[in-house]
Amino acid sequence: MFVLKKIISQFMMPIPLTLLLLCLVAWMLRHRRGHWRWPLLLAVSLLVFVSSNFGSRLLLEPLEQQYAYQQQPIVNDCVVMVLGSGHDDHLAVSALQQLSPTAMMRLQEGLRQTRFGQNCLLITSGFAGSNNQRAHSDVMADAATELGFPRERIISLPLAKDTIEEAQYLRWEINQTPFRLVTSASHMPRAMAIFEQIGTQPQAAPADYMARQGVWWALSADNLLGSQRAIHEYIGQSWWWIKSHW
């Protein structure tokens, strides 16, 4: 199910979907089918929209603005969980440099959140995936140590493959203890819904904001990346809704 979900979501991303539409146009032209201009127009319009500042912000802002930037002190037990994102342990560099940009942003915010409490426990999560030797959670833990956080106050959850499993493993680890949940701002609405439904008590601490002011018509790879992340979240929310109601 995990692999199937990944495959389906990949084909719904902007670039694969655009390529599928262009393949349809090529097939229609080769077989002299009519109305090929409509899928061609749709492919071009889709690529322009998701690559524009206007399109990227339109998709991202409803997700990123649902939870405020977290600045409140942690009064009782201090537990901060940073959700995994990705790394490349084939690079012969420090653990911090092996992290993806998204993972680095999440970890930095997680460490900032630990300064709002006393003797905080930092929890990292994420499995190795198919391309790495080490679990992502262990690389995140090493990176946090490189930034000065005590290793004895880090718990690694190396078996979690997605947000649902991260929530399940965390519940087994801390049960009903309230905690700060750190993930990308666009991912936060889905993450909060999952963690709350599974029975934990998260407090949102969003990071890694991607919606940026700019010339509305400007096309860029950064805008495309932001649109892709937002589309991934909308697909993920739909998948979670179906999974929760069936």
Side-chain angles (χ1 to χ4, degrees), residues 203-218:
Q203 301 168 355
D208 188 32
Y209 291 83
M210 293 197 70
R212 293 287 188 270
Q213 294 287 344
V215 181
W216 70 270
W217 49 265

Side-chain angles (χ1 to χ4, degrees), residues 15 32 50 54 58 65 127 131 141 147 152 221 230 240:
I15 292 179
R32 302 182 185 279
V50 297
F54 169 78
L58 187 66
Q65 294 179 359
F127 75 131
N131 298 319
L147 291 174
E152 63 272 14
W240 172 245

Side-chain angles (χ1 to χ4, degrees), residues 41-98:
L41 178 61
L42 180 59
V44 174
S45 299
L46 173 64
L47 191 58
V48 169
F49 176 76
V50 297
S51 300
S52 69
N53 182 263
F54 169 78
S56 180
R57 288 180 57 200
L58 187 66
L59 293 170
L60 280 170
E61 286 182 345
L63 297 169
E64 294 190 342
Q65 294 179 359
Q66 288 192 36
Y67 291 93
Y69 191 55
Q70 182 63 258
Q71 299 274 46
Q72 298 301 314
I74 300 175
V75 179
N76 298 314
D77 295 327
C78 182
V79 179
V80 177
M81 182 177 190
V82 180
L83 299 191
S85 178
H87 73 281
D88 185 352
D89 60 18
H90 296 93
L91 296 173
V93 293
S94 67
L96 184 63
Q97 296 301 319
Q98 290 178 357

